[in-house]
Amino acid sequence: MLVHTAHLTCRADAIDAFRERLLRHAAATLTAEEGCLRFDIHQDRKRPERFFLHEVYADQAALDVHRLAPHYLAFRDDTSNQVVERLWWFWDLLEGKRQG
């Protein structure tokens, strides 16, 4: 499995519109992409213009499909003037255990 995390910061005057578009993007990804196993979105309580994304893909090929998907490209285009900072990382899942 491949885990992708991202911090996206939008303009303060675009928070509501960006959040709505981001939620639609996550739903479209989960619906259209079999290789996307999880797509969670978190919003910072103290800085609501900052969002944290946690995505899990079956493998690199699934992430590659995501990056070429029409809904991903539309999301990037639709939000290009709203996002002021994008930071992302890619992680290999080494082991997972349930606590307790």
Side-chain angles (χ1 to χ4, degrees):
M1 277 194 282
L2 174 70
V3 176
H4 173 245
T5 60
H7 290 154
L8 302 178
T9 304
C10 70
R11 293 189 338 258
D13 65 334
I15 293 170
D16 292 338
F18 181 72
R19 181 180 48 243
E20 178 187 327
R21 185 61 182 92
L22 184 56
L23 289 167
R24 286 190 294 127
H25 171 61
T29 299
L30 288 166
T31 300
E33 298 176 32
E34 199 172 296
C36 182
L37 308 176
R38 185 175 191 112
F39 197 129
D40 297 323
I41 301 168
H42 307 270
Q43 186 173 14
D44 192 313
R45 289 182 175 183
K46 292 185 179 180
R47 290 187 52 204
E49 70 276 10
R50 188 166 52 188
F51 295 83
F52 171 72
L53 283 58
H54 176 254
E55 306 166 46
V56 179
Y57 294 90
D59 52 27
Q60 182 64 49
L63 178 63
D64 294 343
V65 165
H66 174 67
R67 291 292 172 96
L68 296 174
H71 58 268
Y72 172 78
L73 298 174
F75 167 75
R76 290 292 300 251
D77 187 53
D78 292 347
T79 60
S80 64
N81 68 341
Q82 296 172 335
V83 176
V84 296
E85 183 177 50
R86 259 181 231 281
L87 303 169
W88 59 83
W89 301 267
F90 301 94
W91 311 83
D92 291 318
L93 180 63
L94 301 180
E95 183 177 1
K97 292 183 181 178
R98 183 177 297 255
Q99 297 294 320

